[in-house]
Amino acid sequence: MKRRPWPIIIIALFHIISPIGNFFFNAQYVNLSYLAYFKAHFSPQNFWSSIFFFVLPPLAGLTIYACKRWSFWVYLLIMSVILTHSILNWRARPEVASIIPLVALFIINIGLVGYILIPAVRKVYFDPRLRWWETKPRYYVDYDAHIKLNEKLSQSKVLNLSESGLFAQMQEPVPDGSRIEISFTDDGIVYTAVGIAIHHHRQGEIGLGVRFVHTSDSTRSLKFLIRKLEIEGK
């Protein structure tokens, strides 16, 4: 099974379970029983503090785990809010707790945010092509196909296929970025889809990568074909 990189999984889990560790640590630190500390946290006057304590860290973890373009900015926003809230709480009541745990929390969070800011890691959030765990499985086929570009038809052969695109061989190159229509037949059923030419390379003949631009009809028909290919073990 494809999975995300372990560092991202570990950081996400750290955030998700951090309220549990913080709860037991803080209860011991302020010398309260767990039940008394729990009641104090969920008293009406501490409602918003409870949101910051129990909700925002797991939300930050889920945001990191989602690994989308928006995740990066939302994560930084959540971490900034958590740190700001912690600093304001301490400044309002410095006699209640030492600044040392706050400084430790600050250093840990800076380290976690710093990891996300590493260029190689940051690219994963902004470039979907680097998220290998999201790629659709490809199925090996051998379809004779017709490609239409600017009303001109040319012959090709589809070598592999997924829900998101295909790879074909052609005798004539198609410019990258071109919008094409490709059709092929499987067991007497004609499948037609529109796509964008995304890359070329030599593989016997000219290779053409195509990313589908689906309509509701092409989505439905290709999902049917993909299920058939999966059953056939392609």
Side-chain angles (χ1 to χ4, degrees), residues 161-179:
L161 176 73
S162 74
E163 287 186 31
S164 59
L166 57 79
F167 181 81
Q169 281 187 339
M170 301 185 62
Q171 295 180 346
E172 298 179 6
V174 174
D176 284 350
S178 299
R179 189 181 181 92

Side-chain angles (χ1 to χ4, degrees), residues 5 7-8 11 64 67-68 72 112-127 130-131 133:
I8 289 178
I11 290 176
I64 285 297
C67 217
K68 302 296 184 182
F72 181 80
L112 295 175
V113 172
Y115 175 78
I116 301 301
L117 290 175
I118 294 173
V121 179
R122 190 172 67 245
K123 285 181 181 179
V124 173
Y125 286 86
F126 287 93
D127 190 348
L130 300 179
R131 303 177 204 147
W133 60 89

Side-chain angles (χ1 to χ4, degrees), residues 19 23 37-58 82 85 89 93:
F23 174 83
Y37 189 71
F38 182 84
K39 288 180 178 179
H41 246 298
F42 284 94
S43 61
Q45 63 268 29
N46 288 328
F47 173 77
W48 287 110
S49 291
S50 298
I51 295 295
F52 282 95
F53 189 86
F54 288 104
V55 177
L56 289 188
I82 291 174
H85 177 261
N89 264 2
R93 293 180 294 178

Side-chain angles (χ1 to χ4, degrees), residues 189 191 219-229:
I189 301 175
Y191 296 89
T219 299
R220 184 166 50 251
S221 63
L222 283 172
K223 280 188 176 180
F224 172 81
L225 176 58
I226 291 298
R227 283 196 296 270
K228 176 178 177 293
L229 295 174

Side-chain angles (χ1 to χ4, degrees), residues 79-99:
M79 298 308 294
S80 299
V81 169
I82 291 174
L83 286 173
T84 301
H85 177 261
S86 299
I87 292 171
L88 291 176
N89 264 2
W90 177 82
R91 290 188 64 182
R93 293 180 294 178
E95 73 284 354
V96 175
S98 167
I99 196 174

Side-chain angles (χ1 to χ4, degrees), residues 115-184:
Y115 175 78
I116 301 301
L117 290 175
I118 294 173
V121 179
R122 190 172 67 245
K123 285 181 181 179
V124 173
Y125 286 86
F126 287 93
D127 190 348
R129 294 173 299 178
L130 300 179
R131 303 177 204 147
W132 63 84
W133 60 89
E134 293 182 352
T135 57
K136 301 290 185 180
R138 289 190 171 269
Y139 298 88
Y140 293 100
V141 295
D142 186 14
Y143 297 140
D144 292 323
H146 297 283
I147 289 181
K148 182 189 290 186
L149 171 63
N150 298 327
E151 302 303 321
K152 178 184 177 182
L153 280 177
S154 57
Q155 301 291 324
S156 68
K157 185 176 289 290
V158 178
L159 300 183
N160 63 60
L161 176 73
S162 74
E163 287 186 31
S164 59
L166 57 79
F167 181 81
Q169 281 187 339
M170 301 185 62
Q171 295 180 346
E172 298 179 6
V174 174
D176 284 350
S178 299
R179 189 181 181 92
I180 64 173
E181 181 181 282
I182 186 164
S183 59
F184 52 87

